[in-house]
Amino acid sequence: MAGNEWINGYLEAILDSQAQGIEETQQKPQASVNLREGDGQYFNPTKYFVEEVVTGVDETDLHRTWLKVVATRNSRERNSRLENMCWRIWHLTRKKKQLEWEDSQRIANRRLEREQGRRDATEDLSEDLSEGEKGDGLGEIVQPETPRRQLQRNLSNLEIWSDDKKENRLYVVLISLHGLVRGENMELGSDSDTGGQVKYVVELARALARMPGVYRVDLFTRQICSSEVDWSYAEPTEMLTTAEDCDGDETGESSGAYIIRIPFGPRDKYLNKEILWPFVQEFVDGALAHILNMSKVLGEQIGKGKPVWPYVIHGHYADAGDSAALLSGALNVPMVLTGHSLGRNKLEQLLKQGRQSKEDINSTYKIKRRIEAEELSLDAAELVITSTRQEIDEQWGLYDGFDVKLEKVLRARARRGVNCHGRFMPRMAVIPPGMDFTNVEVQEDTPEGDGDLASLVGGTEGSSPKAVPTIWSEVMRFFTNPHKPMILALSRPDPKKNITTLLKAFGECRPLRELANLTLIMGNRDDIDELSSGNASVLTTVLKLIDKYDLYGSVAYPKHHKQSDVPDIYRLAANTKGVFINPALVEPFGLTLIEAAAHGLPMVATKNGGPVDIHRALHNGLLVDPHDQEAIANALLKLVSEKNLWHECRINGWKNIHLFSWPEHCRTYLTRIAACRMRHPQWQTDADEVAAQDDEFSLNDSLKDVQDMSLRLSMDGDKPSLNGSLEPNSADPVKQIMSRMRTPEIKSKPELQGKKQSDNLGSKYPVLRRRERLVVLAVDCYDNEGAPDEKAMVPMIQNIIKAVRSDPQMAKNSGFAISTSMPLDELTRFLKSAKIQVSEFDTLICSSGSEVYYPGGEEGKLLPDPDYSSHIDYRWGMEGLKNTVWKLMNTTAVGGEARNKGSPSLIQEDQASSNSHCVAYMIKDRSKVMRVDDLRQKLRLRGLRCHPMYCRNSTRMQIVPLLASRSQALRYLFVRWRLNVANMYVVVGDRGDTDYEELISGTHKTVIVKGLVTLGSDALLRSTDLRDDIVPSESPFIGFLKVDSPVKEITDIFKQLSKATA
């Protein structure tokens, strides 16, 4: 009944009016509710209410109706309204029971899916399981262990981070996108997005910057240039630490912690986190540009001229996790995730309340997009940091991408060097949030506190009163005897905080009332009626219970307090030798328990959630069942009455509190990250060396561009072919200059630094390196058989190239790329049949982003990027993937339903389209295959991390590595050749392959050609349309063309987009 005490009053009113109401209904049965019970009597509201209505009813609307009932004086009208309320509660109860049944079915189905995924995974693994691994089986019961032994086990193979790591000089990137983030005067609580997470990430950045071995920490967030918020949120950079804050050996020109604000989304608006989703890729591109610049700067300062890449990219919350995954893939550096609050857990809670449908929940909270981002984050993360073990078991355990039992088996196999067949699970690490204890004075027991109390309540006669905190006076005025030990509870007046149960336990335990006082700090209020219904009902119940148990003089409940008063409140309770209690039904972490321990207060806390871990570390109190009033009262009585136990808990808290300090948090944090598989970009041929070689030939290349432009713009005379092969006039002065420069160029270039270039490094590499802009053709035009639609695709390619080259400014230093799901052989055949030279393109992205090629080899040979395969290889498990996909696609149909045994196969392996990082299949019946989201879910349940997609008008399915895609390939070109994504123009149709959405969002310019693609694969992407949460509905970076747009119109749209800013 917590949070619904108004129902007690409602029940009393029914009882008061019962006799009269039943008499009236019996005299006038036609006006009554004609609902008979088993004994043949008319509907009895009291009996129905007592026997049938669930105790969890908490409806604001019903509460308002009840207030109207109370105000009604006419007895007949009042009885009618009471009866109407019973009917409404009955309907609500039926709805809740229906939802509970649906929920139980969903949980049962999910359990079956997980068990099936686990079985399928272990079938592949069981063949070479050693006897030791069988001991780590999925059905093993884990024995409980002490915190010390758990810590020893977790860190036994890890090298603890210490001061001798100073030479590392690391660069760490943190991401927290939503809310108002700044270093000083944080506006915590100003809205739902600016809360504990904001404070945590800022303090984490500062604390990491002070650690030995950490040179720079960047905290990325959103830049907001809006009149709605303070101007400081528009500052692109804010320094969080000074040179004095950091280790002397780690200071430098760019060292320390900084807030880096990246503009994305509408610049002039503050957006809630639910509205930020379509702009996430804009942030990724902006952050990538900053990281590349900073890596070069740090390389000059501390890297001996080589780029210093981020040691780790750490995403906080789902939106930042999604961003961190993409940045991690683009840069090939490790990713870490902290969820803070999880979407699946929130969805479960909202569904149990029964107030909103799934559709309404998704519309309000964008919950499906959030869950999809969290699943992707799990796919990419090396490490997931949680505050408590409960978060791992009960929250992350809800996700497809994490299975505690399967993770244990895979970890055991990896430790023994046994093949995991491409299966991966992220590691979970419990690292409680750090706290700053610098302002906490740990004092031994002295009479000072009693002296302060004595002066406050008029102690020694003639003594001058001491200056004591104002909040002490505010609390003490409630008490008849303020010298009693104080039981302190500090929380919001939320039903989940269980304050009413605490008050009942105190009120019904006479020894406890006689021995102690109770202080309830329940937020700030001016008028209870102005609070939300839930908070108001809790406060109203508190006042009623105080009156019921006659607790006046024993319970304090001040209306106001400041955040700065909280340490003084703890100190007051400690001076009275009191106890801190957190009786919440479930407490995710329990930060107040640590704060109380730091001030010398023993604790009594709920046994559900984070307090269990805190108690194991501190050993400074007792855990109780929050539903058991007697247990709560006994625990409090035990601590305040047994002074030896009280002192022992107080000393233990002080002795172990360092485990929750920021230095300890950061030490554990860096130790865990150091154990991850470190990786960073590594090039066989360094792009910067190539650039240095070509600097002396920049004039030559510029003149070449002038020559190319002069040839390709001969629009009035003989028109050149698309590859500009028309011979120039021999009297052309440009040609004369070029002819004189060609010979020394060829002779001198290989001799520049006395180094032999890589055999795979063609002459086109530097050309791509020096491009100012790149036009990417990613048009997915295919017929019913999946073959390229030459009639639609070829004219568009020709017109795009002509449009770019028709403008002198755009033609200068512009290059072209083609991005497709076709394999290289098929793409080159298509270009040849269309009479388009492959050399027109600076790069070719093939097989849905699994391969990158460059023209420029001998005899026109296409050269694969020598570094791309290793760049996208992360968590690629081709050997285990093939068998699993074949089995899933032939046993599971659309919607996840099982197919009948003996049904014909739905897929056939497409060897011609497959490569070392792409598994391709031909689809035989597109109406029966699973959607991408269903397939990805089933693969995640089996520990397989990849990027499945349908392409070529749903006639093919291709599976590429997790962080490979056509959009990520463009970011690779940015990282590899410094070709800024913001200077790329991506041409797409209005439909396409299932990775089509990824090509639209971002800071690159997108040209959507309407009517060009009539048949796409997007219907097989997901069961729920999330496009509005992925692609912005309006963006200055997106332009539109018609399929028959003339060349001039195409040129104009390119010019228009080149000037676009968000």
Side-chain angles (χ1 to χ4, degrees), residues 642-749:
E642 297 183 18
K643 294 304 178 184
N644 290 337
L645 176 61
W646 186 91
H647 279 286
E648 181 184 347
C649 291
R650 176 185 176 96
I651 297 301
N652 284 345
W654 277 339
K655 182 174 64 177
N656 298 317
I657 199 66
H658 71 278
L659 296 173
F660 297 94
S661 66
W662 275 117
E664 189 69 22
H665 175 94
C666 292
R667 189 174 294 109
T668 307
Y669 175 94
L670 292 170
T671 299
R672 286 290 188 179
I673 291 174
C676 295
R677 194 185 80 181
M678 289 294 113
R679 61 189 200 278
H680 57 82
Q682 292 180 325
W683 316 126
Q684 292 185 25
T685 303
D686 187 43
D688 293 324
E689 291 181 13
V690 175
Q693 284 185 333
D694 293 314
D695 281 344
E696 295 188 18
F697 302 98
S698 58
L699 175 62
N700 300 15
D701 294 319
S702 298
L703 288 173
K704 284 182 182 178
D705 289 331
V706 173
Q707 183 197 37
D708 292 342
M709 185 172 63
S710 67
L711 294 175
R712 291 164 177 165
L713 293 181
S714 304
M715 307 299 290
D716 296 330
D718 295 330
K719 295 184 179 180
S721 66
L722 287 177
N723 64 338
S725 60
L726 185 66
E727 287 296 323
N729 190 309
S730 59
D732 191 333
V734 174
K735 183 185 177 183
Q736 294 176 4
I737 296 173
M738 292 300 300
S739 65
R740 290 197 297 268
M741 299 185 68
R742 279 176 183 154
T743 302
E745 175 189 346
I746 295 172
K747 288 181 180 179
S748 61
K749 190 169 182 176

Side-chain angles (χ1 to χ4, degrees), residues 357-426:
S357 65
K358 274 189 176 181
E359 291 72 21
D360 292 337
I361 292 171
N362 187 55
S363 176
T364 304
Y365 300 103
K366 308 298 182 187
I367 206 79
K368 291 184 179 179
R369 177 67 180 91
R370 176 176 168 183
I371 291 171
E372 187 173 290
E374 288 164 340
E375 292 283 10
L376 174 62
S377 302
L378 278 178
D379 288 341
E382 288 276 0
L383 179 70
V384 178
I385 295 176
T386 70
S387 299
T388 64
R389 184 71 203 177
Q390 181 261 353
E391 186 180 341
I392 298 174
D393 297 334
E394 299 181 18
Q395 296 185 44
W396 283 118
L398 297 172
Y399 284 78
D400 303 325
F402 182 72
D403 185 317
V404 176
K405 295 179 180 179
L406 186 55
E407 188 271 339
K408 184 178 179 182
V409 171
L410 294 175
R411 179 155 39 95
R413 293 177 68 93
R415 190 167 57 244
R416 295 175 173 90
V418 182
N419 191 350
C420 291
H421 298 279
R423 289 174 167 80
F424 300 90
M425 283 284 164

Side-chain angles (χ1 to χ4, degrees), residues 115-136:
E115 290 174 357
Q116 182 61 48
R118 208 177 281 155
R119 282 197 298 270
D120 289 349
T122 50
E123 280 180 10
D124 290 341
L125 302 177
S126 60
E127 295 179 1
D128 53 353
L129 277 176
S130 66
E131 290 301 317
E133 287 173 294
K134 291 177 181 177
D136 294 322

Side-chain angles (χ1 to χ4, degrees), residues 839-1052:
S839 57
E840 288 290 344
F841 303 99
D842 291 337
T843 182
L844 293 86
I845 300 169
C846 304
S847 300
S848 299
S850 63
E851 293 182 316
V852 173
Y853 291 91
Y854 306 100
E858 296 179 1
E859 300 179 357
K861 183 180 179 182
L862 290 167
L863 302 175
D865 189 301
D867 307 301
Y868 189 67
S869 291
S870 61
H871 192 85
I872 63 173
D873 196 54
Y874 179 62
R875 290 194 169 170
W876 177 238
M878 190 172 184
E879 50 186 311
L881 193 61
K882 281 187 176 182
N883 293 335
T884 304
V885 170
W886 182 266
K887 181 177 179 180
L888 286 174
M889 294 298 292
N890 289 314
T891 58
T892 312
V894 62
E897 298 179 0
R899 299 184 70 225
N900 295 327
K901 289 185 178 180
S903 299
S905 173
L906 295 177
I907 60 174
Q908 176 183 337
E909 188 170 356
D910 184 2
Q911 293 282 359
S913 298
S914 298
N915 60 59
S916 61
H917 287 84
C918 176
V919 181
Y921 298 91
M922 288 186 283
I923 305 299
K924 295 182 179 179
D925 188 348
R926 70 190 75 176
S927 65
K928 295 181 180 179
V929 295
M930 282 187 289
R931 296 184 181 89
V932 169
D933 59 347
D934 293 329
L935 176 59
R936 181 172 265 184
Q937 178 205 23
K938 294 184 182 301
L939 291 173
R940 281 171 174 152
L941 288 170
R942 290 156 177 79
L944 293 164
R945 317 291 174 163
C946 56
H947 188 178
M949 64 189 76
Y950 290 102
C951 54
R952 305 176 70 169
N953 187 23
S954 305
T955 62
R956 306 287 196 283
M957 180 178 72
Q958 293 183 340
I959 303 175
V960 299
L962 171 65
L963 296 172
S965 68
R966 290 190 288 173
S967 62
Q968 283 291 89
L970 299 181
R971 294 191 176 103
Y972 171 81
L973 297 178
F974 184 9
V975 175
R976 181 68 179 92
W977 302 113
R978 299 297 197 270
L979 186 61
N980 199 329
V981 174
N983 293 332
M984 295 182 185
Y985 298 75
V986 180
V987 182
V988 297
D990 46 3
R991 303 183 69 182
D993 299 344
T994 53
D995 65 344
Y996 166 78
E997 293 173 344
E998 303 168 23
L999 290 166
I1000 301 177
S1001 302
T1003 58
H1004 65 261
K1005 316 303 188 294
T1006 303
V1007 178
I1008 299 177
V1009 185
K1010 292 187 173 181
L1012 178 62
V1013 180
T1014 56
L1015 300 171
S1017 306
D1018 42 295
L1020 289 176
L1021 178 56
R1022 57 175 73 90
S1023 54
T1024 304
D1025 185 10
L1026 299 180
R1027 179 166 175 170
D1028 290 341
D1029 300 330
I1030 298 173
V1031 179
S1033 56
E1034 294 182 4
S1035 171
F1037 300 136
I1038 300 177
F1040 296 89
L1041 289 172
K1042 294 181 181 178
V1043 67
D1044 55 354
S1045 295
V1047 170
K1048 185 179 184 306
E1049 190 173 331
I1050 298 173
T1051 304
D1052 291 341

